[in-house]
Amino acid sequence: MFEQFQGQSLIKFADTFKTSEKCKNYLSHYKWHSGFTCSKCGHSHNWKGIKAFTKVCKNCRHVESVTANTLFHKVKFDLTKAFLIMFEMSTTSKGTSSTNLAKRYEINQKTAWLFMSKVRKAMGSSGKHSLEGHCEADECYIGGHKEGKVGRGADNKKKVAVIIETSGEYGIKRGYAMKIDNCSSKELGKLFEKHVGNRAEVKTDKWKGYLPLMSDFNIVQEKSEPTVNFKLTHRFIQGLKSWIRGVYHHISDKFTQSYMDEYCYRFNRHGSKVNIFDNLVQKMMVAKPLNCNLNKT
Ligand SMILES: [Zn+2]
């Protein structure tokens, strides 16, 4: 009988998932609860495989493991560790670095980093749940100067566009951050296309890059004045920046978006931590495997 894992207790977690069989059993629910479909030929009839947690297609005899075609594919360490890393990345307020995880789980740092990349991929927004209420959008720079360097090479800041949906005067319902190449309307438009719904009203500063977007989105412009307006947006940005500073020494262009995804995933679920691990497992199961040749540049 499948029981969804709930809560943030590490004791309960470690007890529930103390063997890799228990982890695989959990995954098999999400893999096959609505039936089997062969990934090679699409056939639905199957036998139980000889190895535990595998199924064999009756049509083409393809053997499919529970982790095939998911982000758990070819994970190089025990699933109990993978589950613990996911639990840590989703339930702690700030997540952690691969160096730290490598020490805690006695795995290679690169292996830890690669698995974290897979988890971050699962954390990426589907864009299916648009922001619909009062929103604010802005751009910022994250990362920062490399210490002791001036001139070329000193500036490794990344441009990021953010959008939040506010909840009254003091709260933020949800927020998203997207790496952009520049502050043109084309780049800003990508953020709007992905996250802004028909009923949303978006407040921006007077930047002209937002003007062409007005034909498709309900945008109201207001001069930005420090400590007067856009306070919630600035709070969101500050949180994002201090998280990056605290956990990572350097973030590369190539992976900036995945760090944004990690931050926003946790931020947007601060009120639903009870199910957050289970939600992450489901996302790992439906996302396609990540190319293992990720070069950390
Ligand atoms: Zn088949």
Side-chain angles (χ1 to χ4, degrees):
M1 192 61 195
F2 177 79
E3 198 180 327
Q4 184 194 55
F5 182 82
Q6 295 195 324
Q8 297 177 70
S9 159
L10 183 57
I11 304 291
K12 183 183 159 196
F13 188 87
D15 187 51
T16 307
F17 300 112
K18 59 183 162 212
T19 63
S20 72
E21 280 68 37
K22 285 182 185 277
C23 300
K24 282 183 183 169
N25 192 43
Y26 201 83
L27 300 185
S28 70
H29 170 76
Y30 286 116
K31 174 98 175 170
W32 292 309
H33 71 292
S34 54
F36 169 86
T37 308
C38 175
S39 62
K40 295 277 183 232
C41 75
H43 202 74
S44 61
H45 291 218
N46 66 92
W47 293 293
K48 229 175 150 182
I50 296 168
K51 273 177 123 182
F53 305 105
T54 62
K55 286 188 186 285
V56 184
C57 171
K58 279 191 180 179
N59 183 44
C60 73
R61 310 291 157 107
H62 169 65
V63 181
E64 186 145 333
S65 76
V66 68
T67 53
N69 298 306
T70 75
L71 286 171
F72 291 103
H73 186 56
K74 287 191 178 165
V75 168
K76 287 190 182 133
F77 44 86
D78 199 273
L79 271 179
T80 50
K81 291 183 184 181
F83 269 42
L84 278 163
I85 291 173
M86 287 166 61
F87 187 66
E88 195 157 343
M89 284 178 78
S90 57
T91 57
T92 55
S93 57
K94 290 190 186 303
T96 185
S97 68
S98 58
T99 314
N100 212 0
L101 283 182
K103 280 185 225 150
R104 285 162 69 96
Y105 297 103
E106 299 178 328
I107 51 177
N108 178 291
Q109 182 269 331
K110 279 192 176 143
T111 308
W113 183 87
L114 180 63
F115 182 67
M116 291 176 84
S117 304
K118 295 178 179 183
V119 178
R120 286 189 196 106
K121 187 184 175 195
M123 288 174 161
S125 161
S126 63
K128 283 180 189 156
H129 308 283
S130 304
L131 304 177
E132 296 290 0
H134 289 283
C135 301
E136 291 180 5
D138 201 359
E139 322 90 52
C140 65
Y141 290 90
I142 57 151
H145 296 282
K146 284 178 189 167
E147 266 178 54
K149 285 199 176 181
V150 289
R152 186 170 290 181
D155 190 12
N156 60 343
K157 289 187 171 189
K158 322 285 178 232
K159 264 194 197 81
V160 169
V162 303
I163 186 146
I164 59 162
E165 182 176 339
T166 61
S167 166
E169 202 180 331
Y170 302 105
I172 302 174
K173 274 188 192 160
R174 276 186 293 153
Y176 295 104
M178 184 183 276
K179 183 185 173 294
I180 50 174
D181 291 339
N182 52 59
C183 294
S184 68
S185 53
K186 188 179 164 216
E187 288 292 294
L188 293 168
K190 291 179 189 169
L191 177 79
F192 278 65
E193 292 289 345
K194 185 162 184 187
H195 298 297
V196 179
N198 295 332
R199 295 188 300 272
E201 183 189 273
V202 187
K203 190 163 83 175
T204 72
D205 59 16
K206 295 269 188 183
W207 171 240
K208 63 182 192 304
Y210 293 107
L211 296 176
L213 304 178
M214 285 181 169
S215 54
D216 291 323
F217 300 96
N218 183 7
I219 295 172
V220 181
Q221 292 203 315
E222 196 176 298
K223 188 170 182 283
S224 175
E225 292 178 72
T227 76
V228 175
N229 53 11
F230 295 100
K231 283 189 217 165
L232 291 169
T233 307
H234 294 150
R235 195 169 86 198
F236 182 76
I237 291 172
Q238 281 316 316
L240 180 63
K241 283 184 175 180
S242 65
W243 172 68
I244 292 282
R245 260 200 308 273
V247 181
Y248 304 102
H249 301 294
H250 166 75
I251 57 169
S252 67
D253 250 15
K254 193 173 170 185
F255 300 112
T256 302
Q257 186 58 49
S258 68
Y259 295 122
M260 301 296 100
D261 290 341
E262 181 184 348
Y263 182 81
C264 296
Y265 178 83
R266 268 195 304 269
F267 183 90
N268 292 336
R269 284 165 186 80
H270 57 252
S272 53
K273 282 270 170 91
V274 164
N275 297 326
I276 195 167
F277 171 77
D278 181 73
N279 174 273
L280 190 53
V281 169
Q282 291 189 47
K283 284 174 170 278
M284 293 282 288
M285 292 305 282
V286 294
K288 288 285 159 240
L290 199 62
N291 179 3
C292 289
N293 300 321
L294 281 173
N295 288 317
K296 200 177 172 188
T297 53

